[in-house]
Amino acid sequence: MDLWTNVLHKISTKLSKPSFATWLKNTTADIRDDVITVKAHNEFQAMWIEERYSVLIAETVKEITGRTMDIRIYSTDEKPDFKRQSSQDDSSGGKDYVELKSIIELQQMKLHELESRIRCLESPEKKPCTEVKFVFFNDTGRKVGIHQATAEHGTKCDMTAIKPLEERIFVLPEGTYPWVKMWDYGEEKGLSLLVSPKQD
């Protein structure tokens, strides 16, 4: 098993299946000396990996090799030395990029909730699912605070901030589904997550 395959295998045990399959499973890498060049299939995927998973990749590489290696990420349709501008510096496409990220994050949250329901239905105990469990995996690279309205609306959870790469379970009342909203208040106040139970 080559190094990158080994890295991907270990990372797959740390991320949810949808997140790993969406962003990292189809990547390849060139390794020269102490530099690992990760190849994504397009520019958006490269930007997402760089923003959300570069630290995780570096930590996993060090865990396997015992060495600190330089991680470089680019897409196969760009040159390796191409410098990406952040969404804040891109006045024309930045807003669309941020909105697309929000949509993807929401879809990932829904996938986590569906996985929780499937596990409940497939439980060998065959007990009725009286509660809905929503699982949030923090792959933002930042701490995520829990909005106080989460508890006020009837969702049960640990209200402490969610650390990067930490998973948090939210328990909602029977017959409800999670309505999820995240706000970004900047570097000082950080991210805030609301998980509120809703009924059709």
Side-chain angles (χ1 to χ4, degrees), residues 166-194:
E166 181 182 354
E167 193 172 78
R168 182 64 51 83
I169 297 176
F170 297 82
V171 180
L172 293 84
E174 179 182 3
T176 66
Y177 62 91
W179 184 88
V180 182
K181 175 73 174 179
M182 184 181 288
W183 293 269
D184 188 345
Y185 294 110
E187 292 300 324
E188 185 175 346
K189 293 185 177 181
L191 301 168
S192 180
L193 176 70
L194 170 65

Side-chain angles (χ1 to χ4, degrees), residues 6 11 25 39 58 70 74 89-90 94 101 114 121 132 155:
N6 199 0
I11 289 178
K25 186 177 181 179
K39 300 178 182 179
D70 184 18
Y74 73 98
D89 295 332
D90 186 353
K101 285 202 300 182
L114 286 172
L121 292 171
V132 175
T155 301

Side-chain angles (χ1 to χ4, degrees), residues 5-73:
T5 301
N6 199 0
V7 169
L8 288 179
H9 175 70
K10 282 194 173 292
I11 289 178
S12 70
T13 67
K14 301 176 182 180
L15 296 179
S16 68
K17 290 181 179 179
S19 294
F20 177 76
T22 301
W23 303 113
L24 293 167
K25 186 177 181 179
N26 66 349
T27 58
T28 58
D30 288 334
I31 302 170
R32 289 187 180 180
D33 299 324
D34 288 332
V35 178
I36 296 181
T37 304
V38 181
K39 300 178 182 179
H41 282 247
N42 54 64
E43 175 69 3
F44 182 76
Q45 183 185 13
M47 292 178 71
W48 189 274
I49 293 172
E50 184 172 322
E51 181 178 334
R52 301 300 181 92
Y53 300 119
S54 57
V55 173
L56 175 61
I57 292 171
E59 290 175 348
T60 304
V61 169
K62 187 173 182 180
E63 179 184 343
I64 295 171
T65 66
R67 296 183 296 160
T68 299
M69 301 182 73
D70 184 18
I71 309 299
R72 300 176 184 177
I73 303 164

Side-chain angles (χ1 to χ4, degrees), residues 11 46 54 58 82 84 93 103 107 114 127 129 148 171 173:
I11 289 178
S54 57
F82 181 84
R84 289 182 289 276
I103 292 171
Q107 293 304 316
L114 286 172
K127 294 180 179 179
C129 301
Q148 67 178 44
V171 180

